[in-house]
Amino acid sequence: EDKVVQSPLSLVVHEGDTVTLNCSYEVTNFRSLLWYKQEKKAPTFLFMLTSSGIEKKSGRLSSILDKKELFSILNITATQTGDSAVYLCAVVPSNDYKLSFGAGTTVTVRA
Amino acid sequence: DTGVSQDPRHKITKRGQNVTFRCDPISEHNRLYWYRQTLGQGPEFLTYFQNEAQLEKSRLLSDRFSAERPKGSFSTLEIQRTEQGDSAMYLCASSLGTSGPTSYEQYFGPGTRLTVT
């Protein structure tokens, strides 16, 4: 069974800080890893990573995948209170389409 | 709004009653997924459709759960004889059915929060 573990479970930072979220996975026949942001509603798609070592970037958010060590990192720089959310990581196997999610990391950004 | 929509947004029901939820995917998406999310956990896969065909069901989907997508557009998820353990957020997502990496990007609706009393 596919396994996705996110760390830390939660963290509290101040505006302007940088946060690094971790996602490690075990999946048979890995295809892609996806990051989502969830703010008390539906998860919002952030990134999909398929290749190792290629950084995806969107504004202050960036993410990278290491397929050898089976993990991904999501970075948020210059955090703002609007970044407060649960960040979810999910994997997709190559022979399927369903997502297997981790439990998420709750980020709280204090003004 | 051309995103995924779900109805109702909230449902309170008594144990033993049947409930039905509806999901309308993004119009050009031919894959539709149902997930369930409980507090403090990530979404758990329940089932998915490609057009009108239900291609996979999770072991989590007991016989009391049934899903349909009769014309390959909207989908319904029915729970019969609800139990307190069914209380959760039920999320629907959709994705493109074409080949290529973007076909794996799933876009979620706002969810239906079910409370079974």
Side-chain angles (χ1 to χ4, degrees), chain A residues 88-105:
Chain A
L88 295 164
C89 169
V91 295
V92 185
S94 60
N95 59 348
D96 207 339
Y97 293 96
K98 66 176 186 275
L99 299 178
S100 296
F101 282 88
T105 295

Side-chain angles (χ1 to χ4, degrees), chain A residues 1 31 34 36 38 41-43 45 48 88 92 94 96-99 101-103, chain B residues 31 33 35 37 40 42-43 45 48 56 59 91 101 104-110:
Chain A
E1 187 172 314
R31 178 186 291 276
L34 292 84
Y36 286 84
Q38 188 172 28
K41 51 184 181 180
F45 174 77
M48 186 174 74
L88 295 164
V92 185
S94 60
D96 207 339
Y97 293 96
K98 66 176 186 275
L99 299 178
F101 282 88
Chain B
R31 289 202 189 101
Y33 310 80
Y35 293 85
Q37 187 175 27
F45 170 78
Y48 92 89
E56 189 171 348
R59 290 189 302 268
L91 293 164
Y104 299 95
E105 295 175 9
Q106 294 184 23
Y107 295 87
F108 284 81

Side-chain angles (χ1 to χ4, degrees), chain B residues 8-23:
Chain B
R9 297 290 302 276
H10 302 274
K11 179 71 177 179
I12 300 174
T13 191
K14 292 186 177 178
R15 188 174 52 192
Q17 297 294 306
N18 299 345
V19 294
T20 300
F21 310 141
R22 177 180 169 125
C23 171

Side-chain angles (χ1 to χ4, degrees), chain B residues 59-104:
Chain B
R59 290 189 302 268
L60 294 174
L61 214 64
S62 77
D63 291 344
R64 296 184 297 105
F65 288 69
S66 62
E68 293 183 339
R69 196 182 181 197
K71 297 182 181 178
S73 56
F74 73 91
S75 174
T76 58
L77 177 69
E78 181 183 17
I79 309 174
Q80 295 182 324
R81 305 181 302 282
T82 52
E83 301 172 357
Q84 287 188 320
D86 297 331
S87 296
M89 175 76 86
Y90 290 83
L91 293 164
C92 175
S94 68
S95 67
L96 279 170
T98 58
S99 59
T102 57
S103 65
Y104 299 95

Side-chain angles (χ1 to χ4, degrees), chain A:
Chain A
E1 187 172 314
D2 300 339
K3 188 176 177 183
V4 180
V5 178
Q6 294 187 243
S7 63
L9 287 181
S10 65
L11 71 162
V12 179
V13 298
H14 292 282
E15 273 190 318
D17 288 349
T18 294
V19 300
T20 299
L21 310 182
N22 301 288
C23 174
S24 63
Y25 62 89
E26 294 175 21
V27 60
T28 306
N29 300 319
F30 172 89
R31 178 186 291 276
S32 299
L33 184 146
L34 292 84
W35 284 98
Y36 286 84
K37 177 183 181 183
Q38 188 172 28
E39 300 170 89
K40 293 186 178 180
K41 51 184 181 180
T44 303
F45 174 77
L46 294 175
F47 299 113
M48 186 174 74
L49 302 146
T50 303
S51 302
S52 254
I54 298 175
E55 185 183 51
K56 291 262 180 119
K57 196 170 172 67
S58 176
R60 296 176 294 101
L61 276 67
S62 63
S63 184
I64 197 161
L65 175 68
D66 186 326
K67 290 168 73 173
K68 183 179 177 185
E69 300 297 330
L70 307 183
F71 76 93
S72 175
I73 284 174
L74 176 69
N75 283 313
I76 310 172
T77 58
T79 51
Q80 302 171 358
T81 54
D83 296 325
S84 296
V86 175
Y87 290 84
L88 295 164
C89 169
V91 295
V92 185
S94 60
N95 59 348
D96 207 339
Y97 293 96
K98 66 176 186 275
L99 299 178
S100 296
F101 282 88
T105 295
T106 301
V107 175
T108 303
V109 182
R110 296 237 162 100

